[in-house]
Amino acid sequence: MLSKRIIACLDVRDGHVVKGVNFEGLREAGDPGALARRYNAEGIDEVVILDVTATAETRQARANTIRAVAGELFIPLAVGGGVRSEADAEAAIGAGADKVSLNTAALERPGLIEALARRYGSQAVVVAVDAKREGARFAVYARSGRATTGRDAVEWAREAAARGAGEILLTSIDRDGTRRGFDCELTAAVSAAVNVPVIASGGAGSFDHFVEVFTAGRADAALAASVFHFAEHGVAALKAHLAKRGIPVRL
Amino acid sequence: MSADGPVVALVDYGAGNLASVRKALAHLGAAVRDARTPADLDGAAAILVPGVGHFQATVALDEPWRRAVGALVANGVPLVGICLGMQWLFEGSAEAPEVPGLGLLPGRAARLDGDVKVPHVGWNALAIARTSWLLAGVPDGAQAYFTHSYAAPVTADCAATTTHGVTFASAVERNGVAGVQFHPEKSGDAGLRILRNFLDRAAGR
């Protein structure tokens, strides 16, 4: 049976892991390669590097970070943040990424999804959808949640998959950083609408939040950043908890 | 990171990104040679055919490639196919029915079916079907990373099966010819063990 994936997100700025990280007592503080090694040893299923620097002149710095992380891993590695063109994708994949995650660039130029899927295969193309509740619907936001797009999240996910996205990385803007749990309603709506895997993101604060998003939320994978940095929230302990609840995981 | 191991020819026919495979083989001490033409196979101790994407891409592995690979296999050089490369070992695939596979193994790849998401993406378990050099030391139930929509049938050559909607051949082996539907270069310790077994076979161990 296909396992539910647990994905660690490394939010990286200028080559250092940032955002919600409790570094206390950790020698590897801020070092993406060291953090990736630790996650790998704990049994993480996949790693995403989200580069929040994301300007053109940082392409080389980003490549160095990708190389450092890829060198520690023999599991899938995705890279997002600032992948805005075929050249950005080529640089990321050339440095060792298996997948690139498109967000604002795909909204502005949906043809980029097709171009990258044609060149690298759909398995290498993730489309990240940042969604926010507006009444009974979920609206898509661009530019790290700052810009409205007028698009509906379910419709956009369906279009992205039809254009060749191999996976949808779905973040709830409402829940992101709150630790109140994933938005299971949003996740289930998108998961039911597409035949590609949906990675739920935003709101992880407890092991049971993962149980919920894999059952009620129908997620294929779940992503979190800071929740893994705390000792009591280790990847291995999370997976043992999920297994006890009958959720298929890789142990 | 020594490179004093056997020379592995990594067949580059434009189907996907070879960086991960190259990195995993180098990590295990193999000397990797990118093979872009059949002549690049000369003197190789082993052949690896990777590949992701559409079966149509294997059309690039034309008659000169087929002759060169076939001649080496006949001389006992081990051949492993990964993902699309494994499907190519068979007679063909429903994904591109007019494109012939290498045909070393009987059967054809078919589209995954059932009440499941396709493509099949993620970690899934290997049910070991029989003893093989390829999967030596890999425990029954070990998980590997998959990403594919088509799969090969369970035949006498099957060394492991996996179930996603249907049960398919996730590893095959016949003498020195073997293949895996999953990505050993992305499958953690279990995957590295499989690549190690391939290199050991190439070194005659």
Short mmCIF file of all heavy atoms in Angstrom, two decimals, chain A residues 1-3 5 44-46 70-71 73-77 93-94 96-99 120 123 166-167 191 194-198 218 220 249-251, chain B residues 14 16-17 19-20 23-25 27 52-53 111 116-125 143-145 147 163-164 184-189 192:
data_model
loop_
_atom_site.label_atom_id
_atom_site.label_comp_id
_atom_site.label_asym_id
_atom_site.label_seq_id
_atom_site.Cartn_x
_atom_site.Cartn_y
_atom_site.Cartn_z
N MET A 1 0.84 -1.20 0.00
CA MET A 1 0.00 0.00 0.00
C MET A 1 0.88 1.25 0.00
O MET A 1 1.91 1.29 0.67
CB MET A 1 -0.88 -0.02 1.25
CG MET A 1 -1.88 1.12 1.28
SD MET A 1 -2.75 1.16 2.87
CE MET A 1 -4.34 0.60 2.35
N LEU A 2 0.46 2.23 -0.77
CA LEU A 2 1.22 3.47 -0.87
C LEU A 2 1.25 4.18 0.48
O LEU A 2 0.21 4.40 1.11
CB LEU A 2 0.56 4.36 -1.92
CG LEU A 2 1.25 5.68 -2.28
CD1 LEU A 2 2.66 5.45 -2.79
CD2 LEU A 2 0.43 6.43 -3.33
N SER A 3 2.45 4.55 0.92
CA SER A 3 2.60 5.23 2.20
C SER A 3 2.22 6.70 2.10
O SER A 3 2.37 7.32 1.05
CB SER A 3 4.04 5.13 2.68
OG SER A 3 4.35 3.81 3.02
N ARG A 5 3.29 10.30 2.83
CA ARG A 5 4.64 10.87 2.96
C ARG A 5 4.71 11.99 3.98
O ARG A 5 3.81 12.83 4.04
CB ARG A 5 5.09 11.44 1.60
CG ARG A 5 5.64 10.44 0.64
CD ARG A 5 5.95 11.09 -0.69
NE ARG A 5 4.74 11.38 -1.45
CZ ARG A 5 4.66 12.30 -2.41
NH1 ARG A 5 5.71 13.05 -2.71
NH2 ARG A 5 3.53 12.48 -3.07
N ILE A 44 12.80 10.83 7.38
CA ILE A 44 11.95 11.71 6.57
C ILE A 44 11.82 11.11 5.17
O ILE A 44 12.73 10.43 4.69
CB ILE A 44 12.53 13.15 6.52
CG1 ILE A 44 11.44 14.15 6.18
CG2 ILE A 44 13.69 13.24 5.53
CD1 ILE A 44 10.53 14.49 7.32
N ASP A 45 10.68 11.33 4.50
CA ASP A 45 10.45 10.72 3.19
C ASP A 45 10.89 11.60 2.04
O ASP A 45 11.08 11.11 0.92
CB ASP A 45 8.95 10.41 3.03
CG ASP A 45 8.49 9.38 4.04
OD1 ASP A 45 9.21 8.39 4.24
OD2 ASP A 45 7.41 9.57 4.63
N GLU A 46 11.02 12.88 2.30
CA GLU A 46 11.32 13.82 1.24
C GLU A 46 11.69 15.15 1.89
O GLU A 46 11.26 15.43 3.00
CB GLU A 46 10.06 13.97 0.37
CG GLU A 46 10.23 14.72 -0.91
CD GLU A 46 9.09 14.42 -1.91
OE1 GLU A 46 8.48 13.34 -1.85
OE2 GLU A 46 8.84 15.29 -2.73
N ALA A 70 21.49 18.11 -1.29
CA ALA A 70 21.42 16.91 -2.15
C ALA A 70 22.53 15.93 -1.81
O ALA A 70 22.34 14.71 -1.89
CB ALA A 70 21.49 17.31 -3.62
N GLY A 71 23.68 16.46 -1.40
CA GLY A 71 24.80 15.61 -1.06
C GLY A 71 24.54 14.74 0.17
O GLY A 71 25.25 13.75 0.40
N LEU A 73 21.44 13.39 0.83
CA LEU A 73 20.17 12.68 0.68
C LEU A 73 20.18 11.69 -0.47
O LEU A 73 20.67 11.99 -1.55
CB LEU A 73 19.03 13.68 0.41
CG LEU A 73 18.74 14.74 1.48
CD1 LEU A 73 17.65 15.66 0.97
CD2 LEU A 73 18.34 14.10 2.79
N PHE A 74 19.56 10.53 -0.24
CA PHE A 74 19.23 9.62 -1.33
C PHE A 74 17.73 9.38 -1.31
O PHE A 74 17.24 8.26 -1.45
CB PHE A 74 20.05 8.33 -1.22
CG PHE A 74 21.52 8.59 -1.41
CD1 PHE A 74 22.36 8.71 -0.31
CD2 PHE A 74 22.04 8.79 -2.67
CE1 PHE A 74 23.70 8.99 -0.48
CE2 PHE A 74 23.39 9.09 -2.85
CZ PHE A 74 24.22 9.19 -1.74
N ILE A 75 17.00 10.47 -1.08
CA ILE A 75 15.54 10.51 -1.14
C ILE A 75 15.17 11.74 -1.97
O ILE A 75 16.04 12.56 -2.26
CB ILE A 75 14.92 10.60 0.28
CG1 ILE A 75 15.45 11.83 1.02
CG2 ILE A 75 15.20 9.32 1.08
CD1 ILE A 75 14.77 12.09 2.36
N PRO A 76 13.91 11.86 -2.38
CA PRO A 76 13.56 12.99 -3.26
C PRO A 76 13.79 14.36 -2.61
O PRO A 76 13.55 14.54 -1.41
CB PRO A 76 12.08 12.76 -3.55
CG PRO A 76 11.89 11.30 -3.36
CD PRO A 76 12.79 10.93 -2.22
N LEU A 77 14.23 15.30 -3.45
CA LEU A 77 14.48 16.67 -3.01
C LEU A 77 13.78 17.63 -3.98
O LEU A 77 14.01 17.57 -5.18
CB LEU A 77 15.99 16.94 -3.01
CG LEU A 77 16.42 18.40 -2.77
CD1 LEU A 77 16.02 18.87 -1.37
CD2 LEU A 77 17.93 18.55 -2.97
N ILE A 93 17.73 21.94 -10.92
CA ILE A 93 17.83 20.52 -11.23
C ILE A 93 19.28 20.14 -11.47
O ILE A 93 19.74 19.08 -11.03
CB ILE A 93 16.90 20.18 -12.42
CG1 ILE A 93 15.44 20.21 -11.93
CG2 ILE A 93 17.25 18.82 -13.03
CD1 ILE A 93 14.39 20.12 -13.00
N GLY A 94 20.02 21.03 -12.11
CA GLY A 94 21.44 20.78 -12.34
C GLY A 94 22.22 20.67 -11.04
O GLY A 94 23.23 19.96 -10.96
N GLY A 96 21.01 19.36 -8.34
CA GLY A 96 20.66 18.14 -7.62
C GLY A 96 19.21 18.03 -7.18
O GLY A 96 18.83 17.05 -6.53
N ALA A 97 18.37 19.02 -7.51
CA ALA A 97 16.95 18.91 -7.18
C ALA A 97 16.29 17.88 -8.09
O ALA A 97 16.61 17.79 -9.27
CB ALA A 97 16.26 20.26 -7.33
N ASP A 98 15.36 17.10 -7.53
CA ASP A 98 14.59 16.17 -8.35
C ASP A 98 13.32 16.82 -8.88
O ASP A 98 12.77 16.39 -9.89
CB ASP A 98 14.19 14.94 -7.52
CG ASP A 98 15.40 14.22 -7.00
OD1 ASP A 98 16.15 13.68 -7.82
OD2 ASP A 98 15.61 14.22 -5.77
N LYS A 99 12.84 17.81 -8.13
CA LYS A 99 11.59 18.47 -8.49
C LYS A 99 11.75 19.96 -8.27
O LYS A 99 12.48 20.37 -7.37
CB LYS A 99 10.44 17.99 -7.59
CG LYS A 99 10.34 16.50 -7.41
CD LYS A 99 9.26 16.13 -6.39
CE LYS A 99 9.22 14.62 -6.17
NZ LYS A 99 8.18 14.18 -5.23
N TYR A 120 11.34 17.97 -18.39
CA TYR A 120 11.85 17.14 -17.29
C TYR A 120 10.89 16.02 -16.87
O TYR A 120 11.24 15.19 -16.04
CB TYR A 120 12.15 18.01 -16.07
CG TYR A 120 13.24 19.02 -16.33
CD1 TYR A 120 12.95 20.36 -16.49
CD2 TYR A 120 14.57 18.61 -16.45
CE1 TYR A 120 13.95 21.28 -16.75
CE2 TYR A 120 15.58 19.52 -16.71
CZ TYR A 120 15.26 20.86 -16.85
OH TYR A 120 16.26 21.76 -17.11
N GLN A 123 6.86 14.34 -13.17
CA GLN A 123 7.29 13.99 -11.82
C GLN A 123 8.24 15.05 -11.25
O GLN A 123 8.45 15.09 -10.04
CB GLN A 123 7.94 12.59 -11.81
CG GLN A 123 9.42 12.52 -12.13
CD GLN A 123 9.76 12.96 -13.56
OE1 GLN A 123 8.96 12.83 -14.46
NE2 GLN A 123 10.96 13.49 -13.74
N GLY A 166 2.92 17.40 -11.66
CA GLY A 166 2.93 16.03 -11.14
C GLY A 166 2.44 15.95 -9.71
O GLY A 166 2.06 14.87 -9.23
N GLU A 167 2.46 17.08 -9.00
CA GLU A 167 1.98 17.13 -7.62
C GLU A 167 1.51 18.55 -7.33
O GLU A 167 1.96 19.50 -7.97
CB GLU A 167 3.09 16.76 -6.62
CG GLU A 167 3.57 15.32 -6.75
CD GLU A 167 4.68 14.98 -5.78
OE1 GLU A 167 4.40 14.88 -4.58
OE2 GLU A 167 5.83 14.82 -6.23
N SER A 191 -7.86 17.49 -3.18
CA SER A 191 -7.48 16.10 -3.41
C SER A 191 -8.53 15.36 -4.24
O SER A 191 -8.20 14.53 -5.08
CB SER A 191 -7.24 15.39 -2.07
OG SER A 191 -6.69 14.11 -2.29
N VAL A 194 -8.25 16.40 -8.19
CA VAL A 194 -7.11 16.07 -9.05
C VAL A 194 -6.68 14.62 -8.83
O VAL A 194 -6.91 14.05 -7.76
CB VAL A 194 -5.90 17.00 -8.79
CG1 VAL A 194 -6.24 18.44 -9.13
CG2 VAL A 194 -5.40 16.89 -7.36
N ASN A 195 -6.04 14.06 -9.86
CA ASN A 195 -5.59 12.68 -9.74
C ASN A 195 -4.11 12.60 -9.38
O ASN A 195 -3.54 11.52 -9.29
CB ASN A 195 -5.86 11.92 -11.05
CG ASN A 195 -6.27 10.49 -10.78
OD1 ASN A 195 -6.66 10.15 -9.65
ND2 ASN A 195 -6.16 9.62 -11.76
N VAL A 196 -3.48 13.74 -9.18
CA VAL A 196 -2.07 13.75 -8.77
C VAL A 196 -2.02 13.93 -7.25
O VAL A 196 -2.98 14.38 -6.64
CB VAL A 196 -1.28 14.88 -9.48
CG1 VAL A 196 -1.30 14.66 -10.98
CG2 VAL A 196 -1.81 16.25 -9.11
N PRO A 197 -0.88 13.56 -6.63
CA PRO A 197 -0.80 13.69 -5.18
C PRO A 197 -0.93 15.13 -4.71
O PRO A 197 -0.47 16.05 -5.38
CB PRO A 197 0.61 13.15 -4.85
CG PRO A 197 1.01 12.34 -6.03
CD PRO A 197 0.32 12.96 -7.22
N VAL A 198 -1.56 15.29 -3.54
CA VAL A 198 -1.69 16.59 -2.90
C VAL A 198 -0.89 16.58 -1.59
O VAL A 198 -1.08 15.70 -0.74
CB VAL A 198 -3.16 16.93 -2.63
CG1 VAL A 198 -3.28 18.21 -1.80
CG2 VAL A 198 -3.92 17.08 -3.95
N ARG A 218 -7.75 13.74 3.25
CA ARG A 218 -7.42 12.95 2.05
C ARG A 218 -6.08 13.36 1.43
O ARG A 218 -5.87 13.24 0.22
CB ARG A 218 -8.53 13.07 1.00
CG ARG A 218 -9.88 12.59 1.55
CD ARG A 218 -11.01 12.81 0.57
NE ARG A 218 -10.82 12.05 -0.68
CZ ARG A 218 -11.72 12.01 -1.64
NH1 ARG A 218 -12.85 12.67 -1.53
NH2 ARG A 218 -11.49 11.32 -2.74
N ASP A 220 -2.15 13.16 0.42
CA ASP A 220 -1.21 12.09 0.06
C ASP A 220 0.11 12.28 0.79
O ASP A 220 0.88 11.33 0.95
CB ASP A 220 -0.98 12.11 -1.44
CG ASP A 220 -2.28 11.90 -2.20
OD1 ASP A 220 -2.75 10.75 -2.21
OD2 ASP A 220 -2.84 12.88 -2.71
N VAL A 249 2.71 4.29 6.65
CA VAL A 249 3.90 5.13 6.56
C VAL A 249 5.11 4.24 6.34
O VAL A 249 5.06 3.03 6.57
CB VAL A 249 4.12 5.97 7.85
CG1 VAL A 249 3.08 7.07 7.97
CG2 VAL A 249 4.13 5.09 9.08
N ARG A 250 6.19 4.86 5.91
CA ARG A 250 7.47 4.14 5.76
C ARG A 250 8.20 4.23 7.09
O ARG A 250 8.54 5.31 7.54
CB ARG A 250 8.31 4.80 4.67
CG ARG A 250 9.67 4.15 4.50
CD ARG A 250 10.43 4.78 3.37
NE ARG A 250 10.92 6.09 3.70
CZ ARG A 250 12.23 6.41 3.80
NH1 ARG A 250 13.15 5.50 3.59
NH2 ARG A 250 12.59 7.63 4.10
N LEU A 251 8.40 3.09 7.72
CA LEU A 251 9.08 3.09 9.03
C LEU A 251 10.53 2.70 8.86
O LEU A 251 10.90 2.03 7.93
CB LEU A 251 8.39 2.14 9.99
CG LEU A 251 6.98 2.58 10.41
CD1 LEU A 251 6.31 1.51 11.23
CD2 LEU A 251 7.03 3.88 11.20
N GLY B 14 18.38 10.99 -23.18
CA GLY B 14 17.57 12.20 -23.09
C GLY B 14 16.29 12.05 -22.31
O GLY B 14 15.44 12.94 -22.35
N GLY B 16 15.14 12.30 -19.03
CA GLY B 16 15.20 12.70 -17.64
C GLY B 16 16.58 13.03 -17.14
O GLY B 16 17.57 13.02 -17.86
N ASN B 17 16.60 13.30 -15.86
CA ASN B 17 17.72 13.87 -15.17
C ASN B 17 18.55 12.73 -14.56
O ASN B 17 18.05 11.94 -13.80
CB ASN B 17 17.11 14.79 -14.10
CG ASN B 17 18.06 15.17 -13.01
OD1 ASN B 17 19.26 15.23 -13.22
ND2 ASN B 17 17.51 15.44 -11.85
N ALA B 19 21.34 13.12 -12.78
CA ALA B 19 22.23 13.58 -11.70
C ALA B 19 22.12 12.69 -10.46
O ALA B 19 23.13 12.36 -9.84
CB ALA B 19 21.91 15.03 -11.35
N SER B 20 20.89 12.31 -10.09
CA SER B 20 20.71 11.53 -8.87
C SER B 20 21.32 10.14 -8.99
O SER B 20 21.93 9.63 -8.06
CB SER B 20 19.23 11.39 -8.54
OG SER B 20 18.68 12.64 -8.23
N LYS B 23 25.06 10.46 -8.84
CA LYS B 23 25.50 10.75 -7.47
C LYS B 23 25.50 9.48 -6.61
O LYS B 23 26.45 9.22 -5.87
CB LYS B 23 24.57 11.81 -6.86
CG LYS B 23 24.93 12.20 -5.44
CD LYS B 23 23.92 13.18 -4.86
CE LYS B 23 22.63 12.47 -4.48
NZ LYS B 23 21.67 13.34 -3.77
N ALA B 24 24.44 8.68 -6.73
CA ALA B 24 24.34 7.46 -5.92
C ALA B 24 25.44 6.47 -6.30
O ALA B 24 26.07 5.86 -5.44
CB ALA B 24 22.96 6.83 -6.08
N LEU B 25 25.69 6.31 -7.61
CA LEU B 25 26.73 5.37 -8.05
C LEU B 25 28.11 5.85 -7.59
O LEU B 25 28.93 5.04 -7.13
CB LEU B 25 26.70 5.21 -9.57
CG LEU B 25 25.48 4.48 -10.14
CD1 LEU B 25 25.47 4.57 -11.66
CD2 LEU B 25 25.45 3.02 -9.69
N HIS B 27 28.72 7.68 -5.00
CA HIS B 27 28.74 7.48 -3.55
C HIS B 27 29.18 6.05 -3.21
O HIS B 27 29.85 5.81 -2.20
CB HIS B 27 27.34 7.76 -3.00
CG HIS B 27 27.16 7.48 -1.55
ND1 HIS B 27 27.62 8.34 -0.57
CD2 HIS B 27 26.59 6.42 -0.90
CE1 HIS B 27 27.33 7.82 0.62
NE2 HIS B 27 26.70 6.67 0.45
N VAL B 52 12.91 8.47 -17.03
CA VAL B 52 11.56 8.75 -16.55
C VAL B 52 10.81 9.36 -17.71
O VAL B 52 11.40 9.83 -18.68
CB VAL B 52 11.55 9.73 -15.35
CG1 VAL B 52 12.12 9.10 -14.12
CG2 VAL B 52 12.27 11.02 -15.70
N GLY B 53 9.48 9.35 -17.60
CA GLY B 53 8.70 10.00 -18.63
C GLY B 53 7.95 9.01 -19.50
O GLY B 53 7.60 7.91 -19.07
N ARG B 111 -1.05 0.30 -18.31
CA ARG B 111 -1.37 1.41 -17.42
C ARG B 111 -1.91 0.89 -16.10
O ARG B 111 -2.68 -0.07 -16.06
CB ARG B 111 -2.39 2.34 -18.08
CG ARG B 111 -2.57 3.63 -17.29
CD ARG B 111 -3.39 4.66 -18.06
NE ARG B 111 -3.78 5.74 -17.16
CZ ARG B 111 -3.01 6.80 -16.87
NH1 ARG B 111 -1.82 6.91 -17.43
NH2 ARG B 111 -3.41 7.72 -16.04
N VAL B 116 -7.38 4.19 -7.40
CA VAL B 116 -6.20 4.82 -6.80
C VAL B 116 -5.77 5.97 -7.69
O VAL B 116 -6.17 6.04 -8.86
CB VAL B 116 -5.02 3.81 -6.68
CG1 VAL B 116 -5.30 2.76 -5.63
CG2 VAL B 116 -4.70 3.18 -8.03
N LYS B 117 -4.95 6.87 -7.15
CA LYS B 117 -4.42 7.94 -7.97
C LYS B 117 -3.33 7.41 -8.90
O LYS B 117 -2.50 6.60 -8.50
CB LYS B 117 -3.84 9.05 -7.08
CG LYS B 117 -4.91 9.90 -6.38
CD LYS B 117 -4.30 11.12 -5.72
CE LYS B 117 -5.40 11.98 -5.10
NZ LYS B 117 -4.87 13.23 -4.51
N VAL B 118 -3.38 7.84 -10.12
CA VAL B 118 -2.35 7.54 -11.11
C VAL B 118 -1.91 8.88 -11.71
O VAL B 118 -2.78 9.62 -12.16
CB VAL B 118 -2.90 6.60 -12.21
CG1 VAL B 118 -1.84 6.38 -13.29
CG2 VAL B 118 -3.35 5.27 -11.62
N PRO B 119 -0.63 9.21 -11.70
CA PRO B 119 0.53 8.37 -11.40
C PRO B 119 0.64 7.91 -9.94
O PRO B 119 0.08 8.54 -9.04
CB PRO B 119 1.71 9.28 -11.76
CG PRO B 119 1.19 10.67 -11.62
CD PRO B 119 -0.24 10.58 -12.07
N HIS B 120 1.33 6.81 -9.79
CA HIS B 120 1.68 6.24 -8.49
C HIS B 120 2.95 6.95 -8.04
O HIS B 120 4.01 6.74 -8.61
CB HIS B 120 1.93 4.74 -8.71
CG HIS B 120 2.45 3.98 -7.52
ND1 HIS B 120 3.38 2.98 -7.67
CD2 HIS B 120 2.15 4.05 -6.21
CE1 HIS B 120 3.64 2.47 -6.47
NE2 HIS B 120 2.91 3.10 -5.57
N VAL B 121 2.81 7.83 -7.06
CA VAL B 121 3.94 8.63 -6.60
C VAL B 121 4.12 8.44 -5.11
O VAL B 121 3.19 8.65 -4.34
CB VAL B 121 3.71 10.14 -6.87
CG1 VAL B 121 4.90 10.97 -6.35
CG2 VAL B 121 3.48 10.41 -8.34
N GLY B 122 5.31 8.03 -4.72
CA GLY B 122 5.63 7.94 -3.30
C GLY B 122 6.27 6.62 -2.94
O GLY B 122 6.75 5.88 -3.80
N TRP B 123 6.28 6.36 -1.63
CA TRP B 123 6.95 5.17 -1.10
C TRP B 123 5.96 4.03 -0.98
O TRP B 123 4.88 4.21 -0.43
CB TRP B 123 7.55 5.48 0.28
CG TRP B 123 8.61 6.52 0.26
CD1 TRP B 123 8.44 7.87 0.23
CD2 TRP B 123 10.03 6.30 0.27
NE1 TRP B 123 9.66 8.51 0.22
CE2 TRP B 123 10.65 7.57 0.24
CE3 TRP B 123 10.83 5.16 0.30
CZ2 TRP B 123 12.04 7.73 0.26
CZ3 TRP B 123 12.20 5.31 0.30
CH2 TRP B 123 12.81 6.58 0.28
N ASN B 124 6.35 2.86 -1.48
CA ASN B 124 5.48 1.70 -1.38
C ASN B 124 6.34 0.47 -1.10
O ASN B 124 7.56 0.47 -1.32
CB ASN B 124 4.66 1.53 -2.67
CG ASN B 124 3.37 0.76 -2.46
OD1 ASN B 124 3.27 -0.04 -1.52
ND2 ASN B 124 2.39 1.00 -3.31
N ALA B 125 5.68 -0.57 -0.62
CA ALA B 125 6.41 -1.76 -0.13
C ALA B 125 6.74 -2.74 -1.25
O ALA B 125 5.98 -2.91 -2.21
CB ALA B 125 5.57 -2.46 0.93
N GLN B 143 10.53 -0.43 1.77
CA GLN B 143 9.84 0.51 0.90
C GLN B 143 10.79 1.21 -0.05
O GLN B 143 11.97 1.41 0.26
CB GLN B 143 9.09 1.54 1.75
CG GLN B 143 8.01 0.89 2.60
CD GLN B 143 6.85 1.80 2.91
OE1 GLN B 143 6.73 2.91 2.40
NE2 GLN B 143 5.94 1.30 3.74
N ALA B 144 10.25 1.55 -1.21
CA ALA B 144 11.04 2.21 -2.25
C ALA B 144 10.21 3.34 -2.84
O ALA B 144 8.97 3.35 -2.72
CB ALA B 144 11.43 1.21 -3.33
N TYR B 145 10.89 4.29 -3.50
CA TYR B 145 10.21 5.47 -4.04
C TYR B 145 9.84 5.27 -5.51
O TYR B 145 10.71 5.03 -6.36
CB TYR B 145 11.09 6.71 -3.89
CG TYR B 145 10.37 7.98 -4.28
CD1 TYR B 145 9.48 8.58 -3.41
CD2 TYR B 145 10.56 8.56 -5.53
CE1 TYR B 145 8.79 9.73 -3.76
CE2 TYR B 145 9.87 9.71 -5.90
CZ TYR B 145 8.98 10.29 -5.00
OH TYR B 145 8.30 11.42 -5.35
N THR B 147 7.56 6.61 -9.04
CA THR B 147 6.82 7.66 -9.73
C THR B 147 6.62 7.21 -11.18
O THR B 147 7.52 7.24 -12.00
CB THR B 147 7.49 9.05 -9.61
OG1 THR B 147 6.75 9.99 -10.37
CG2 THR B 147 8.94 9.07 -10.03
N THR B 163 1.90 -3.37 -4.90
CA THR B 163 0.48 -3.20 -5.21
C THR B 163 0.06 -1.74 -5.11
O THR B 163 0.30 -1.08 -4.09
CB THR B 163 -0.37 -4.06 -4.27
OG1 THR B 163 0.00 -5.43 -4.42
CG2 THR B 163 -1.86 -3.90 -4.59
N HIS B 164 -0.51 -1.24 -6.20
CA HIS B 164 -1.13 0.09 -6.21
C HIS B 164 -2.31 -0.03 -7.18
O HIS B 164 -2.13 0.09 -8.39
CB HIS B 164 -0.15 1.16 -6.67
CG HIS B 164 -0.74 2.55 -6.65
ND1 HIS B 164 -1.09 3.18 -5.48
CD2 HIS B 164 -1.07 3.41 -7.65
CE1 HIS B 164 -1.59 4.38 -5.76
NE2 HIS B 164 -1.60 4.55 -7.06
N PRO B 184 15.93 3.43 -7.20
CA PRO B 184 16.82 3.06 -6.11
C PRO B 184 17.68 4.24 -5.65
O PRO B 184 18.00 4.34 -4.46
CB PRO B 184 17.68 1.93 -6.70
CG PRO B 184 17.56 2.08 -8.17
CD PRO B 184 16.21 2.67 -8.43
N GLU B 185 17.98 5.15 -6.57
CA GLU B 185 18.81 6.32 -6.21
C GLU B 185 18.06 7.29 -5.31
O GLU B 185 18.66 8.22 -4.77
CB GLU B 185 19.30 7.01 -7.49
CG GLU B 185 18.26 7.81 -8.26
CD GLU B 185 17.31 7.00 -9.15
OE1 GLU B 185 17.29 5.76 -9.02
OE2 GLU B 185 16.58 7.61 -9.95
N LYS B 186 16.74 7.09 -5.17
CA LYS B 186 15.90 7.97 -4.34
C LYS B 186 15.26 7.18 -3.21
O LYS B 186 14.33 7.67 -2.58
CB LYS B 186 14.78 8.57 -5.20
CG LYS B 186 15.23 9.51 -6.26
CD LYS B 186 15.49 10.88 -5.71
CE LYS B 186 16.93 11.25 -5.78
NZ LYS B 186 17.26 12.38 -4.92
N SER B 187 15.70 5.94 -2.99
CA SER B 187 15.00 5.04 -2.05
C SER B 187 15.81 4.75 -0.81
O SER B 187 15.71 3.66 -0.22
CB SER B 187 14.61 3.74 -2.76
OG SER B 187 13.66 4.00 -3.77
N GLY B 188 16.60 5.70 -0.37
CA GLY B 188 17.30 5.57 0.90
C GLY B 188 18.22 4.36 0.95
O GLY B 188 18.82 3.97 -0.07
N ASP B 189 18.32 3.76 2.14
CA ASP B 189 19.27 2.66 2.34
C ASP B 189 18.93 1.43 1.49
O ASP B 189 19.83 0.76 0.98
CB ASP B 189 19.30 2.27 3.82
CG ASP B 189 19.94 3.36 4.68
OD1 ASP B 189 20.66 4.22 4.11
OD2 ASP B 189 19.72 3.36 5.90
N LEU B 192 20.16 2.08 -2.02
CA LEU B 192 21.63 2.02 -2.13
C LEU B 192 22.11 0.57 -2.09
O LEU B 192 23.05 0.19 -2.78
CB LEU B 192 22.28 2.83 -1.01
CG LEU B 192 22.12 4.36 -1.12
CD1 LEU B 192 22.72 5.04 0.11
CD2 LEU B 192 22.77 4.90 -2.39
#
